Amino acid sequence: MELKQYLESICQWDGRMIISPDELIGIYSKENYHPTMELIDFLVRFYSLQIKLPDETLGFDIATILSVYPYELVNGHYCEILGVNGITPFGELGHGSMLLVADEHNNIYGMDEDTIICFGNDYYKLLVQVYNKIGREDIKELLQSDELYEVWKKIQQDFPLLSYRVEEMQGDEEARIDRIDKSLLGYNAILYRHNFPVLSVKELIRYSAMESFKAYCGMTFSRQEEDDIVIGDEEREYILCELELSVEEYIRMINTYDILDVAETLIEYYLLENHPEALLEYYKGQRWDNAERLFDEKMETFRESRN
């Protein structure tokens, strides 16, 4: 079913204005925001709606969003992260787990505590991307596939010095799905924007059986085994004060691997082979200082694995 048909038949959406543009501008102006007319034209048709898509929820409860995300926070901390002059919050994904904002050029970003996704600059295409996102059951199929499990089992055999998660705790599976869900949404947003074919679970499972991927995965984990973790003063303060962990606990936590790490390595491998520029763009989009160096290291490992 196409998105428009889904909205009309399932969500009873008819595309008519729910609020006048002047009234909506007034609501934003009262909180010091200055949304673009393109954003206003979109929002007047979705104002206050909670749209339940097949595998996601999109909320446009503007009053609640503006109360939770005051101007000082959004146009201070968030603008600094994105490197833009001004942004306007306008929606939420997943019952508030990810905030949707737009800058003065209508660039649309999804932001949460550890991820930034750039959805392009078309509000209706944002809906299309979220509507067509890979479903949670499909991600579960990837994580439980025999092909991925075989690679995971071999990693544990080949690198016994690494620590592996041996006990499943309540919520582990959902947490893995959440993390892959965000990664795939971010990567596919880039692929979609450049008119490349988007990632699919079927294709990822096929890649996980390839000998070249197994070689790449092995080399990636080999380097994890060799790496020494160095904690700087600033990071140490964050670990102690924000995470409320000892440095030893933190190192033990990030040095413990499970099948999620194999799945993330698989996605990297697929992109390195097919669209390396998308992987680099994703890294840069996270505002990582070491984005290019990290990409170069991944590409070097990829090339070595092919030899």
Side-chain angles (χ1 to χ4, degrees):
M1 188 184 297
E2 293 295 322
L3 172 62
K4 188 171 185 293
Q5 183 184 358
Y6 180 90
L7 291 174
E8 292 171 346
S9 61
I10 306 298
C11 304
Q12 307 302 308
W13 179 80
D14 57 15
R16 290 185 295 183
M17 285 189 185
I18 300 169
I19 185 174
S20 75
D22 287 345
E23 187 177 354
L24 183 55
I25 290 171
I27 291 171
Y28 270 115
S29 296
K30 187 178 177 182
E31 302 298 330
N32 293 321
Y33 286 107
H34 303 285
T36 65
M37 286 311 301
E38 289 87 350
L39 177 55
I40 291 295
D41 184 60
F42 170 79
L43 280 180
V44 295
R45 292 165 173 79
F46 291 92
Y47 180 78
S48 79
L49 294 184
Q50 190 86 354
I51 300 174
K52 293 184 178 179
L53 299 174
D55 268 285
E56 189 58 273
T57 301
L58 263 170
F60 300 102
D61 184 349
I62 303 303
T64 300
I65 291 169
L66 294 182
S67 67
V68 174
Y69 299 98
Y71 179 85
E72 292 76 15
L73 169 65
V74 172
N75 279 279
H77 178 63
Y78 287 12
C79 276
E80 183 180 349
I81 292 172
L82 293 173
V84 297
N85 293 325
I87 54 177
T88 300
F90 70 90
E92 293 178 315
L93 283 179
H95 300 287
S97 63
M98 178 169 279
L99 176 68
L100 295 172
V101 302
D103 68 16
E104 58 191 343
H105 303 294
N106 293 300
N107 294 309
I108 304 162
Y109 303 93
M111 303 180 69
D112 67 11
E113 59 186 13
D114 60 6
T115 304
I116 301 170
I117 298 175
C118 182
F119 289 103
N121 56 10
D122 186 310
Y123 297 100
Y124 288 95
K125 286 184 178 179
L126 161 69
L127 297 183
V128 172
Q129 291 179 66
V130 177
Y131 178 68
N132 290 323
K133 65 177 284 194
I134 294 173
R136 295 180 68 83
E137 285 301 314
D138 292 326
I139 295 171
K140 186 176 179 179
E141 179 186 350
L142 169 65
L143 291 169
Q144 294 182 351
S145 66
D146 292 339
E147 293 86 348
L148 198 69
Y149 179 74
E150 286 302 315
V151 180
W152 169 230
K153 189 168 64 174
K154 190 169 190 316
I155 290 296
Q156 294 176 76
Q157 293 169 351
D158 290 350
F159 305 104
L161 297 182
L162 294 176
S163 298
Y164 301 100
R165 185 184 296 275
V166 293
E167 290 185 13
E168 281 289 299
M169 301 188 63
Q170 187 175 5
D172 280 353
E173 183 177 65
E174 287 302 307
R176 291 188 193 102
I177 293 173
D178 286 344
R179 188 155 152 187
I180 295 296
D181 182 31
K182 281 197 302 184
S183 295
L184 290 174
L185 186 60
Y187 288 128
N188 277 341
I190 295 170
L191 296 172
Y192 180 88
R193 200 162 61 247
H194 293 294
N195 295 314
F196 293 140
V198 295
L199 285 152
S200 73
V201 163
K202 183 179 178 181
E203 190 72 351
L204 287 172
I205 291 176
R206 185 176 74 83
Y207 265 68
S208 67
M210 292 181 174
E211 292 302 320
S212 51
F213 163 66
K214 295 174 185 177
Y216 174 79
C217 194
M219 293 178 71
T220 298
F221 276 81
S222 172
R223 291 180 177 178
Q224 300 287 357
E225 195 176 53
E226 295 167 358
D227 284 348
D228 290 325
I229 297 176
V230 178
I231 305 293
D233 292 339
E234 189 174 323
E235 189 177 4
R236 181 184 297 273
E237 183 177 351
Y238 172 77
I239 293 165
L240 296 174
C241 301
E242 298 295 328
L243 299 182
E244 296 182 346
L245 297 171
S246 69
V247 172
E248 292 74 19
E249 288 172 329
Y250 176 75
I251 290 175
R252 188 162 57 249
M253 181 182 73
I254 64 174
N255 258 351
T256 300
Y257 301 94
D258 75 3
I259 198 167
L260 171 66
D261 299 289
V262 180
E264 292 186 320
T265 304
L266 172 62
I267 296 170
E268 290 172 1
Y269 177 82
Y270 176 89
L271 291 169
L272 286 166
E273 179 165 292
N274 295 281
H275 305 291
E277 64 274 34
L279 184 62
L280 177 57
E281 186 173 335
Y282 181 83
Y283 288 169
K284 288 182 175 179
Q286 303 313 302
R287 276 51 181 183
W288 293 339
D289 292 337
N290 64 337
E292 292 196 13
R293 180 172 61 81
L294 179 61
F295 173 78
D296 289 343
E297 290 172 356
K298 300 283 186 186
M299 181 57 78
E300 181 184 356
T301 303
F302 173 77
R303 288 174 178 143
E304 288 179 13
S305 71
R306 301 303 291 262
N307 295 328

